[in-house]
Amino acid sequence: MAIPFDSPAIPSGSTVLVTGVNGFLASHIADQFLRLGYSVIGTVRDAAKNAWLTRLFDRKYGEGRFELVTVEDIAVNGAYDLAVKGVSSIIHTASIVSFDPDPNRVVPAAIAFALNALKAAYKQPSVKRFVMLSSSTAALVPIADTRGAVVTKDTWNETSVKAAWVDPHYTRDRSWIVYAASKTQSEQELWKFHKDNREKRPDLVLNTVLPTIVFGAALDPMNQGYTSTSRLIFNLWNGTVTEEMAGDMALLHVAAAIHPDVQEEQLFGFSQPFNWNIILNILRNQNPQRTFPEDFQAGQDLSEIQPRVRAEQLLRDMGKSGWTSLEESIRMNTKELCEGILEDIKI
């Protein structure tokens, strides 16, 4: 597929590095770059364990377009220095998702992961774009049915940062707040390093993407199963109560790397608000023969996300009509379950 605009920021046919490429969203990002004619190097902690990715992309795009590289410890200084040789862009998705409630074991590691990748970009002259997968939680964790929250390009989730570090009694109910703090502080430190060192690499552009919950199909369900936020739909499908299409979020990362007009930006991947009752209603309508849990969450996210319009316009620039609907995202998330392919998968 051809790039849908002239003069991309990195030339078609060049090589892109995707860190943590075995992840649910990261694998989609790699797939989108390959589809547009780029070559991809993907890093994982164990290349042998993730060889299925090479087989998948070799089948889809031909041998030699995708390479898998082992980076065992991404917190070590210089961890990516070899992997970035000759690449034109880095898409950094690898982070800590342990949901440990102790910020001392999460936040410093998340910051180190992000800075190591950016420092590798600074050392490698061929890298012209650096894109980090952040999170909507770096801007806010919405409170249901509460009006007045307005997110702009200058909004940071300082509330979660303060709550995460408030005292040493780190109970499990604070795991989400600590995750949000790690996303907030790691992105803040990334922008700070870039601002403080920009004169060393004025040609290097930094962009970040802030998705909310991401639904959609796995690239290889048999090898990936239901991971990350796609697991939430799997849980509801199986009766366990515990926001976007993956392709849209992947395409926003591509736009952040190749779109000539996207420079020094945060892209807010907020397509539409939802709650779990809405998700359950979609699942019931799409699968009337199946029984799902009772409704359990009616609260609405009333936050105003001003920069979301920019992200939707970029999707149009990349050849889409706009956001994928929530209904279609859920349908793709459950495709193999509907067909009985992965009904009994254990993850």
Side-chain angles (χ1 to χ4, degrees):
M1 180 177 176
I3 296 172
F5 47 79
D6 296 330
S7 303
I10 58 172
S12 179
S14 61
T15 301
V16 174
L17 177 73
V18 180
T19 70
V21 73
N22 57 324
F24 172 57
L25 181 52
S27 62
H28 277 278
I29 294 170
D31 186 64
Q32 292 281 2
F33 273 108
L34 290 164
R35 186 174 61 89
L36 290 172
Y38 292 91
S39 294
V40 173
I41 296 173
T43 72
V44 290
R45 294 182 190 273
D46 186 339
K49 183 179 178 181
N50 292 281
W52 61 269
L53 274 164
T54 302
R55 295 192 296 270
L56 171 69
F57 290 137
D58 283 354
R59 287 195 305 270
K60 291 185 71 171
Y61 302 107
E63 294 184 7
R65 297 275 308 284
F66 176 80
E67 180 184 357
L68 205 57
V69 174
T70 295
V71 178
E72 293 182 357
D73 188 351
I74 61 178
V76 172
N77 289 333
Y80 294 109
D81 288 357
L82 292 177
V84 301
K85 297 295 185 182
V87 307
S88 59
S89 179
I90 298 174
I91 315 298
H92 178 58
T93 76
S95 189
I96 185 167
V97 287
S98 64
F99 291 100
D100 188 320
D102 184 349
N104 296 286
R105 295 199 292 258
V106 177
V107 176
I111 292 172
F113 294 172
L115 289 180
N116 275 347
L118 182 58
K119 288 175 182 178
Y122 263 80
K123 295 176 189 175
Q124 181 58 40
S126 64
V127 178
K128 303 302 180 184
R129 291 276 176 125
F130 183 95
V131 181
M132 187 178 85
L133 168 60
S134 183
S135 166
S136 62
T137 62
L140 88 162
V141 173
I143 301 173
D145 300 325
T146 301
R147 297 186 182 277
V150 178
V151 172
T152 72
K153 62 182 180 61
D154 299 314
T155 300
W156 292 106
N157 186 6
E158 299 294 355
T159 300
S160 290
V161 172
K162 182 178 179 180
W165 293 98
V166 69
D167 60 51
H169 303 295
Y170 304 130
T171 54
R172 293 302 306 175
D173 60 330
R174 291 173 59 179
S175 59
W176 183 247
I177 294 299
V178 170
Y179 171 81
S182 76
K183 289 297 185 179
T184 305
Q185 292 187 267
S186 61
E187 188 179 347
Q188 287 175 326
E189 290 300 315
L190 197 80
W191 285 110
K192 182 180 184 300
F193 179 91
H194 187 55
K195 179 181 178 180
D196 291 346
N197 294 277
R198 189 67 194 278
E199 74 282 355
K200 300 175 184 176
R201 285 294 310 274
D203 60 322
L204 177 62
V205 171
L206 168 63
N207 293 309
T208 61
V209 180
L210 291 73
T212 59
I213 291 178
V214 180
F215 299 134
L219 280 185
D220 188 336
M222 294 305 297
N223 283 294
Q224 283 181 299
Y226 292 91
T227 60
S228 187
T229 49
S230 73
R231 176 72 176 180
L232 301 174
I233 301 301
F234 175 82
N235 287 342
L236 290 177
W237 183 272
N238 286 303
T240 303
V241 175
T242 42
E243 304 180 351
E244 281 75 46
M245 180 70 169
D248 290 349
M249 291 303 107
L251 202 57
L252 277 182
H253 284 78
V254 176
I258 74 173
H259 198 298
D261 295 336
V262 182
Q263 299 188 35
E264 313 300 318
E265 289 191 48
Q266 292 176 295
L267 303 181
F268 288 76
F270 294 66
S271 67
Q272 67 181 85
F274 71 92
N275 60 38
W276 290 109
N277 289 2
I278 292 172
I279 299 295
L280 283 164
N281 187 54
I282 293 171
L283 286 168
R284 294 183 190 114
N285 288 337
Q286 293 179 348
N287 307 277
Q289 78 289 350
R290 191 171 186 87
T291 300
F292 292 94
E294 295 295 320
D295 288 355
F296 63 92
Q297 185 194 57
Q300 297 288 328
D301 177 6
L302 303 178
S303 308
E304 179 186 351
I305 314 299
Q306 293 182 353
R308 67 177 298 278
V309 177
R310 168 64 165 163
E312 187 169 19
Q313 181 56 55
L314 288 172
L315 289 178
R316 294 192 179 99
D317 290 353
M318 295 297 294
K320 291 201 64 182
S321 59
W323 296 110
T324 301
S325 70
L326 184 58
E327 290 78 6
E328 177 63 11
S329 299
I330 300 303
R331 188 188 70 78
M332 293 299 295
N333 207 142
T334 58
K335 180 177 182 292
E336 285 76 24
L337 293 171
C338 290
E339 295 171 355
I341 296 174
L342 297 176
E343 183 74 31
D344 299 319
I345 190 169
K346 303 297 182 184
I347 303 177

